[in-house]
Amino acid sequence: MPDSTQTNTTTTPDAGPAGQLPTFEDLRAATAASGPTDAQLTAHFAPVFAAVAAGTAQRELDHELAFAAIEYLRGAGFTRVRLGRQYGGIGASLPQLAELLVDLAAADPNLPQALHGHFMFTEQHENESQGAVSEWWLAEVAAGRIFGNALVELPPSAGQRPVHWIDADPDTVQAAAATGTTEVARLTGDKFYSTGAVFADYLLVSAIKPGFEEDGPVFAIIDARDPGVQRIDDWNGFGQRLTASGTTTLDHVPVQAQRTQEFNVPTGVLAYTVLWLVLTATQAGIGTTALGEITAFVRGRRRTYDHAAAETPAEDPLVHQVIGAVSAKVAAARQIVRGAAAVVEESYVQVRGHIDLEDPVVVQAHTRANITLSEASLVVSELILDATNLIFETGGASATDASRQLHQHWLNARTVASHTPLIYRTQAIGAYRLHGTVPPFHSTARNSAPAATPSATTPGA
């Protein structure tokens, strides 16, 4: 896999259709009288998604990150479509955003996942202000800036450095409190699975303060273009290869005052359900494109078998059955995504004004959203994995020709389904249904210490 490093200079997108695409200002004007309708959003973004889709297959073949496509989305207002109008956005509902994410995933399944952190944490700041940092974050989103994240670390045994937060000296800290602009700390270390970081203007980073490890991580927002930040496209999965989910290295990167974020708040807990919503929408979009491509493949196919039920695959009722099954699974997935999004949106409304994670209102909202998205993720993953597997029943060995890239849909769907492994979410659903067990507030991974090597005298060794 190519190992391309993103430098911290502004990337100019390739020449393309951006000048002819609808703009954010067009959408603001069209929706000024009232909130955006589904029809308005579909009409506005359809040509944008078409421009994105036009290069997807070639990008996959060339392992080329979609910088131009990101600029199309930015220019059209996709990254601020959910932001409330009072903050400078469009004010789309979360179900409307979910529908758009399905359509974007159908155009390029890498891009919704690459933007998941942007939508997760914008939702958090908009629904529960953290003061100056929220005001700044929302203003930057309104200006078209994109936020990514670098939160996950590989263990030191993999040759990676934990990210450490080193406080500035006391005089600098005091000055920071007075001005709100002074450096308060520096970050050094390595992150992995930093999805979308290469496309981002800012990164949300977790770090540990040496000597305060038991207090857990602190979270800071840094400028992705700082000279101490290096973003490397070295994600090596067999699917979703262009989500820019690789390594981010930090070397003495400054943290500015009032650029820290709190996770242990109600909206921070609910942010994880937004991540799962984005991934579930991505699955539905993968299925949408798979259905379209296999249908086109069957329509033009002349080769069949002596024992087939018709002269061509397009006339064969057995093939009709396969296409019908795939279509039903994809349609059901889209409906599940929209319904799940409505539950998450209601949960955000429910926790407003509640700041204690032990508040019964918060626990109830978290539980409902978490279980709903766990169930949706499980079912949609099964539907789309089955659908992307079934498509090969329509074309025999011809459908496996690598140049057609039909296999990429299954690889992408399988990779998405591996996030926060479904076995754990399935178990959480069962424990809740049987015993009312509240699902975990966070779904972070951890690196366990290596197990001691058993001695020869250890029983069972």
Side-chain angles (χ1 to χ4, degrees), residues 310-337:
E311 184 64 24
T312 67
E315 298 168 327
D316 193 324
L318 295 175
V319 176
H320 296 175
Q321 183 175 348
V322 173
I323 298 295
V326 172
S327 179
K329 293 173 191 294
V330 170
R334 181 182 284 266
Q335 292 302 317
I336 291 170
V337 169

Side-chain angles (χ1 to χ4, degrees), residues 105-371:
D108 185 332
N110 297 288
L111 297 185
Q113 187 176 349
L115 294 171
H116 81 263
H118 177 88
F119 289 114
M120 282 173 66
F121 304 121
T122 298
E123 200 75 27
Q124 179 179 347
H125 285 291
E126 186 169 356
N127 281 280
E128 182 180 52
S129 177
Q130 296 185 34
V133 67
S134 292
E135 294 170 6
W136 169 79
W137 182 297
L138 298 178
E140 290 296 293
V141 173
R145 306 290 188 268
I146 295 174
F147 288 78
N149 67 85
L151 300 174
V152 180
E153 296 180 1
L154 294 177
S157 60
Q160 303 298 299
R161 305 168 298 169
V163 174
H164 285 155
W165 167 294
I166 305 300
D167 284 324
D169 61 78
D171 290 340
T172 303
V173 173
Q174 185 175 3
T179 66
T181 58
T182 307
E183 177 185 316
V184 295
R186 293 250 166 172
L187 303 181
T188 294
D190 306 317
K191 294 290 186 179
F192 196 61
Y193 298 124
S194 39
T195 305
V198 175
F199 299 129
D201 300 294
Y202 299 103
L203 300 177
L204 177 64
V205 181
S206 60
I208 293 293
K209 291 186 177 183
F212 296 90
E213 288 82 0
E214 292 185 2
D215 293 342
V218 291
F219 300 90
I221 302 151
I222 62 170
D223 190 333
R225 297 154 295 189
D226 185 273
V229 179
Q230 186 181 44
R231 296 165 286 169
I232 305 169
D233 177 30
D234 59 351
W235 160 242
N236 197 33
F238 60 54
Q240 297 293 98
R241 300 190 310 142
L242 301 178
T243 57
S245 298
T247 299
T248 299
T249 66
L250 311 173
D251 288 293
H252 306 290
V253 177
V255 176
Q256 300 299 321
Q258 298 178 318
R259 293 291 181 270
T260 59
Q261 177 170 324
E262 177 62 53
F263 259 118
N264 205 33
V265 293
T267 54
V269 169
L270 290 174
Y272 286 93
T273 61
V274 178
L275 164 61
W276 297 342
L277 179 65
V278 172
L279 294 174
T280 306
T282 300
Q283 292 275 39
I286 290 169
T288 299
T289 297
L291 173 62
E293 290 186 0
I294 198 62
T295 301
F297 171 65
V298 168
R299 283 199 188 107
R301 182 169 164 78
R302 307 302 303 171
R303 179 180 173 82
T304 190
Y305 301 90
D306 290 341
H307 52 290
E311 184 64 24
T312 67
E315 298 168 327
D316 193 324
L318 295 175
V319 176
H320 296 175
Q321 183 175 348
V322 173
I323 298 295
V326 172
S327 179
K329 293 173 191 294
V330 170
R334 181 182 284 266
Q335 292 302 317
I336 291 170
V337 169
R338 180 150 190 149
V343 172
V344 177
E345 187 170 52
E346 291 166 6
S347 297
Y348 272 108
V349 172
Q350 190 175 351
V351 302
R352 286 177 187 164
H354 300 266
I355 59 174
D356 185 352
L357 291 183
E358 296 182 2
D359 185 328
V361 172
V362 172
V363 174
Q364 181 188 53
H366 154 68
T367 300
R368 183 171 181 237
N370 187 293
I371 295 299

